[in-house]
């Protein structure tokens, strides 16, 4: 019965493709991120932004007269699965990928895309290595961790230099990358780090680590990792009566953090790019997203911008060929996006890239200080 | 320094009791039919999910009495997981009984994947969290500004594990059902010849083992407050290690093994580095098994000729 079902499904899918193909040519793009696993909240942000972008572009006639369709794949923030789904997207003939999310996925996947002539624009991967590898096809619309680490370190020096500082990381490409940047920048600024440690992401019991931090009298805990682990640490810290200042990075920008940590996250600081949802260029999109009941915060608009900037460049270059669009993205611009006016430099990093300091307050995060 | 060591001791004992509670169910099934039930960790996960669904429903109805909610969640979860255990045994293990040894093991892995995917599709892939059901605790002592804390939840976990261990040790060693279980373990065919309804006893063992997993799931949920569809895997591996370390098949061994692992993890993270705590745990497991191949409290198998 299963077999029959698949046959029928495949045939109707084929039929659907043929009808669409006959009516209007289409161009496929990929949306890749963690749709399952502990970072799934960010996968949802990526999909929400991408769907809105595709809908808006198609409502204005598509790209060069072609209708855009998005293929969503799940890498679960796992490097091996990222390569698998990257190959899947290549086989699906996508010309551009909005993704991936975790740097540990984005970097290995980018090699598959570059070999197969697919453009990759990451909305959220901040590890410097991603664009530093110098591939023709790698772009990002978010900042880099060397910048983000510097902003965090400067803020810590200015406000918490008197406290004993611990820097933790989860040993992932992203988490360790950003934590190392913070450590290096703090050292440059002459701020001493009293305790360094790497934990394993996905653990549920951090009570021993919390007791250690408490015993050492740590006043500021920097967490280089994802929200799920940071949230559990804060929760377990509160249960032990330990309330240091927590400091995180862009992977803390999801309501899920508060759902996990609850009031224990009150006052947590983190670095994230300036709030795109407040900028006038995003107003229309924010309104539509809010009407659908979707939060436009976090990386939603960044995901929107990757597709938007690709469509703009393709229109300007009169081609959807990834190589041509990649050249246009770097040479052309500035591009008008929901993030405001952006440009790309020689290696595909966005300029200007800025970071602000956010604070968690009663279940919401707001800008605390601009840099 | 004593205060700090005491705090790590409390952390380690609590963590160890969580492992031990899951391991008791593992070891019970192994003790009777000699099969490693890899789906046990996932039944534990299902138990935690049932708990979160019941608790959410309760707070949705505006009933604020958390202890009552927890108790209802526990009962519902125990019953439902019992049904899961019964069904899993009936569907995945019984048809393979008497087949070669690896067949039910592979079937169990399949069952584990099935449960994970079922929960992932029906409940979503995101982490689910509840606020602390019973906040607060005791301040045990204070030294140089370091306050040793023990929360009510930690006490609840330790008590639950010890009580559960007591009840099930009694069932296995003192009741007619326990005698039938032990008889099946020694020789299933002979037990059947002597009038023991083996199918019924094995079904019951699975129901009881799964109910234990449900208890562990609820305790895990209320202590850590955060669950996802994948917790069964990690917890299952640690609980299995605990069962092997303590001597698989022995109920007190499972709790002892869990306790040891919890203490090693806590003290290793507390005094050495958190990064290599699993290395420490598995090194000690390897050393123990080298000198005591049946684990700490396991009995050596006597081959009957």
């Amino acid at each position: 019965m299963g077999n029959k079902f698949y046959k029928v499904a495949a045939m109707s899918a084929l039929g659907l493709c043929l009808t669409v193909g006959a009516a209007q040519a289409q161009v496929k793009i990929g949306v890749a991120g963690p749709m399952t696993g502990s970072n799934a909240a960010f996968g949802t942000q990526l999909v929400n932004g991408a769907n809105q972008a595709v809908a808006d572009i198609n409502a204005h006639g598509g790209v060069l007269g072609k209708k855009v369709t998005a293929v969503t794949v799940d890498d679960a923030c796992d490097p091996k699965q990222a390569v698998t789904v990257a190959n899947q997207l290549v086989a699906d003939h996508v010309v551009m990928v909005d993704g991936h999310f975790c740097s540990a996925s984005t970097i290995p996947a980018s090699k598959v895309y570059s070999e197969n002539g697919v453009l990759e624009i990451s909305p959220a991967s901040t590890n410097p290595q991603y664009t530093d590898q110098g591939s023709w096809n790698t772009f990002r619309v978010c900042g880099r961790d060397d910048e983000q680490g510097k902003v965090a370190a400067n803020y810590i020096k200015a406000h918490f230099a008197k406290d004993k500082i611990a820097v933790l990381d989860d040993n992932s490409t992203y988490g360790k990358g950003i934590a190392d940047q913070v450590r290096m920048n703090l050292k440059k600024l002459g701020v001493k780090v009293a305790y360094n440690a790497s934990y394993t992401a996905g653990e549920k019991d951090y009570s021993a680590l919390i007791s250690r931090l408490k015993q050492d009298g740590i006043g500021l805990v920097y967490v280089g990792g994802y929200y799920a682990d940071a949230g559990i640490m804060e929760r377990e810290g509160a249960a032990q009566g330990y309330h240091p200042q927590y400091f995180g990075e862009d992977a803390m920008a999801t309501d899920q953090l508060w759902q996990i940590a609850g009031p224990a996250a009150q006052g947590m600081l983190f670095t994230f790019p300036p709030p795109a949802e407040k900028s006038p260029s995003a107003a229309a999109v924010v309104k539509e997203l809010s009407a659908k009941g979707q939060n436009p915060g976090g990386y939603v608009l960044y995901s929107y911008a990757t597709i938007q900037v690709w469509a703009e460049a393709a229109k300007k270059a009169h081609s959807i060929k990834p190589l041509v669009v990649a050249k246009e993205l770097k040479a052309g611009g500035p591009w008008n996006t929901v993030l405001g006016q952006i440009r790309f430099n020689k290696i595909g990093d966005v300029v200007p890239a800025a970071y602000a300091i956010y604070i968690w307050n009663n279940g919401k995060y707001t800008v605390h200080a601009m840099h | 320094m004593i205060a700090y060591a005491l705090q790590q001791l409390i952390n380690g004992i609590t963590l160890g009791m969580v492992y031990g509670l899951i391991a008791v169910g593992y070891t019970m099934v192994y003790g009777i039919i000699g099969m490693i039930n890899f789906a046990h960790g996932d039944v534990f996960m299902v138990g935690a999910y049932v708990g979160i669904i019941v608790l959410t429903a309760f707070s949705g109805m505006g009933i604020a009495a958390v202890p009552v909610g927890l108790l209802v969640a526990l009962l519902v979860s125990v019953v439902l997981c019992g049904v899961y255990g019964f069904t899993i045994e009936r569907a995945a293990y019984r048809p393979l009984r008497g087949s070669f040894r690896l067949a039910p093991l592979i079937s169990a892995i399949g069952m584990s994947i099935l449960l994970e995917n079922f929960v992932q599709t029906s409940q979503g892939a995101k982490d689910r969290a509840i606020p602390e059901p019973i906040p607060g605790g005791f301040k045990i002592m204070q030294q140089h500004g370091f306050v040793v804390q023990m929360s009510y939840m930690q006490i609840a976990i330790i008590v639950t594990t010890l009580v559960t261990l007591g009840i099930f040790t009694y069932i296995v060693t003192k009741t007619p059902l326990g005698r039938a279980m032990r008889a099946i373990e020694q020789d299933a065919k002979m037990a059947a010849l002597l009038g023991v309804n083996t199918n019924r006893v094995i079904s019951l063992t699975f129901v009881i083992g799964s109910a234990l997993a449900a208890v562990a799931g609820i305790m895990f949920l209320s202590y850590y407050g955060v669950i996802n569809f994948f917790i069964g895997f990690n917890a299952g591996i640690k609980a299995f290690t605990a069962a092997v370390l303590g001597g698989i098949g022995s109920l007190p061994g499972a709790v002892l093994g869990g306790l040891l692992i919890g203490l090693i993890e806590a003290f290793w993270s507390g005094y050495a580095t958190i990064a290599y705590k699993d290395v420490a745990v598995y090194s000690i497991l390897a050393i123990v098994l080298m000198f005591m191949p049946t684990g700490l409290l396991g009995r050596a198998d006597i081959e009957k000729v």
Side-chain angles (χ1 to χ4, degrees):
Chain A
M1 176 233 139
N3 232 339
K4 214 180 211 168
F5 172 77
Y6 283 123
K7 267 187 202 150
V8 172
M11 269 159 70
S12 38
L14 197 67
L16 213 67
C17 288
L18 288 176
T19 20
V20 171
Q24 194 183 19
Q26 63 164 353
V27 51
K28 275 192 196 167
I29 60 167
V31 181
M35 307 305 159
T36 63
S38 57
N39 284 310
F42 284 118
T44 313
Q45 291 187 358
L46 261 52
V47 170
N48 287 352
N51 285 345
Q52 190 60 45
V54 168
D56 288 354
I57 289 168
N58 286 338
H60 292 94
V63 173
L64 304 175
K66 294 187 170 105
K67 194 171 166 281
V68 181
T69 45
V71 183
T72 303
V73 290
D74 173 23
D75 67 17
C77 274
D78 171 32
K80 290 191 291 290
Q81 197 169 328
V83 170
T84 309
V85 296
N87 280 309
Q88 207 176 310
L89 287 176
V90 166
D92 237 348
H93 302 294
V94 304
V95 293
M96 173 270 186
V97 174
D98 166 12
H100 296 207
F101 177 76
C102 291
S103 295
S105 298
T106 314
I107 296 168
S110 70
K111 302 205 169 83
V112 176
Y113 299 134
S114 81
E115 281 161 18
N116 292 286
V118 176
L119 192 65
E120 181 180 19
I121 310 179
S122 174
S125 288
T126 48
N127 191 289
Q129 219 189 316
Y130 168 53
T131 47
D132 281 353
Q133 52 185 337
S135 186
W136 66 271
N137 69 328
T138 50
F139 291 83
R140 63 176 132 211
V141 295
C142 56
R144 291 162 58 102
D145 282 344
D146 30 17
E147 182 58 30
Q148 180 166 212
K150 207 184 287 168
V151 170
N154 284 336
Y155 192 85
I156 291 170
K157 175 166 168 79
H159 297 89
F160 302 102
K162 277 183 284 172
D163 286 315
K164 281 181 102 175
I165 294 163
V167 181
L168 311 177
D169 68 71
D170 68 351
N171 245 331
S172 70
T173 308
Y174 164 72
K176 180 137 177 39
I178 178 74
D180 282 345
Q181 290 291 343
V182 170
R183 288 175 185 132
M184 194 187 79
N185 280 296
L186 283 175
K187 201 174 164 195
K188 258 192 220 159
L189 295 168
V191 180
K192 229 185 105 213
V193 176
Y195 182 71
N196 283 305
S198 296
Y199 59 89
T200 314
E203 292 269 347
K204 289 287 175 278
D205 198 297
Y206 294 108
S207 53
L209 174 65
I210 295 291
S211 298
R212 173 81 178 254
L213 297 171
K214 189 170 140 187
Q215 161 76 4
D216 288 357
I218 301 292
L220 180 122
V221 181
Y222 186 89
V223 188
Y226 295 97
Y227 63 89
D229 302 304
I232 295 173
M233 275 179 211
E234 289 168 347
R235 194 181 167 121
E236 288 174 4
Q240 286 193 28
Y242 176 59
H243 301 279
Q245 173 66 53
Y246 291 101
F247 203 122
E249 12 62 343
D250 57 305
M252 304 297 159
T254 161
D255 302 340
Q256 278 273 307
L257 177 86
W258 191 271
Q259 277 173 31
I260 292 170
Q266 179 72 15
M268 182 193 197
L269 298 168
F270 68 93
T271 45
F272 195 78
E277 66 270 24
K278 298 267 161 51
S279 80
S281 54
V285 179
V286 167
K287 210 173 142 192
E288 277 182 70
L289 286 167
S290 305
K292 282 194 281 186
Q294 294 170 356
N295 182 348
Y299 277 116
V300 174
L301 291 174
Y302 288 80
S303 175
Y304 188 100
T306 60
I307 297 172
Q308 190 182 24
V309 80
W310 162 79
E312 291 299 315
K315 275 181 210 160
K316 206 167 164 201
H318 298 292
S319 167
I320 54 160
K321 287 201 179 93
L323 264 167
V324 179
V325 178
K327 282 209 184 96
E328 184 64 41
L329 276 171
K330 286 175 188 170
W335 308 104
N336 287 316
T337 70
V338 285
L339 305 175
Q341 282 204 335
I342 58 172
R343 268 175 200 283
F344 292 100
N345 65 12
K346 283 206 304 291
I347 57 170
D349 281 328
V350 75
V351 275
Y355 277 97
I357 310 283
Y358 286 68
I359 188 165
W360 274 102
N361 184 20
N362 287 327
K364 289 200 168 63
Y365 52 90
T366 47
V367 176
H368 186 57
M370 293 295 277
H371 255 261
Chain B
M1 283 320 275
I2 293 174
Y4 176 56
L6 186 63
Q7 181 72 66
Q8 291 296 18
L9 185 71
I10 293 171
N11 294 340
I13 290 178
T14 316
L15 181 59
M17 287 297 181
V18 173
Y19 291 152
L21 193 54
I22 309 169
V24 168
Y26 239 114
T27 216
M28 185 143 176
V29 168
Y30 182 88
I32 311 306
I33 55 169
M35 185 202 117
I36 295 163
N37 180 13
F38 272 116
H40 187 75
D42 297 287
V43 176
F44 153 81
M45 179 266 300
V46 169
Y49 264 94
V50 172
I52 212 165
I53 292 166
V54 172
L55 284 178
T56 318
F58 256 74
S59 64
M61 287 187 292
I63 300 166
V66 177
V68 180
L70 264 185
L71 208 65
V72 175
L74 186 69
L75 286 175
V76 175
S77 185
V78 162
V79 171
L80 273 180
C81 283
V83 175
Y84 267 88
F86 179 79
T87 319
I88 289 171
E89 197 269 334
R90 214 46 193 270
Y93 305 152
R94 189 176 294 184
L96 294 171
R97 208 182 293 155
S99 164
F100 66 106
R101 248 183 113 78
L102 279 180
L105 198 74
I106 292 163
S107 179
I109 294 171
M111 216 55 205
S112 152
I113 296 170
L114 178 87
L115 286 178
E116 268 168 32
N117 284 285
F118 166 64
V119 171
Q120 186 192 333
T121 41
S122 60
Q123 292 296 317
K126 281 185 200 172
D127 282 15
R128 300 273 300 266
I130 55 163
E132 242 180 307
I134 306 170
F138 295 112
K139 283 186 179 142
I140 293 181
M141 64 177 280
Q142 191 167 2
Q143 189 187 30
H144 308 304
F146 185 93
V147 183
V148 181
Q149 296 237 357
M150 190 168 192
S151 66
Y152 297 131
M153 262 333 290
Q154 287 180 314
I155 296 167
I157 284 189
I158 295 169
V159 170
T160 310
T161 305
L162 293 179
V163 168
T164 319
L165 174 66
I167 293 174
F168 287 94
T169 311
Y170 175 79
I171 290 181
V172 170
T173 53
K174 295 280 185 312
T175 63
L177 174 66
R179 195 166 56 225
M181 284 173 167
R182 282 177 290 133
I184 290 172
E185 184 229 337
Q186 284 177 6
D187 192 334
K189 213 170 263 169
M190 192 63 210
L193 285 175
L194 292 175
V196 175
N197 187 344
T198 44
N199 277 340
R200 195 175 139 263
V201 173
I202 291 176
S203 275
L204 260 175
T205 310
F206 270 91
V207 170
I208 294 172
S210 302
L212 274 170
V215 174
I218 297 289
M219 294 317 283
F220 185 95
L221 171 70
S222 25
Y223 181 48
Y224 294 113
V226 185
I227 56 169
N228 56 43
F229 69 92
F230 207 60
I231 54 168
F233 181 78
N234 272 337
I237 294 276
K238 281 280 162 66
F240 177 59
T241 312
V244 171
L245 182 60
I248 195 150
S250 154
L251 296 184
V255 174
L256 183 68
L259 205 55
L260 261 178
I261 293 177
L263 287 173
I264 296 167
E265 283 191 11
F267 280 100
W268 188 270
S269 325
Y271 287 98
T273 160
I274 183 173
Y276 296 108
K277 69 183 165 71
D278 285 351
V279 176
V281 168
Y282 290 104
S283 305
I284 290 186
L285 176 74
I287 293 166
V288 168
L289 291 185
M290 244 185 266
F291 294 103
M292 308 169 86
T294 51
L296 294 171
L297 299 183
R299 288 177 291 114
D301 247 343
I302 301 157
E303 282 293 327
K304 288 179 285 276
V305 190

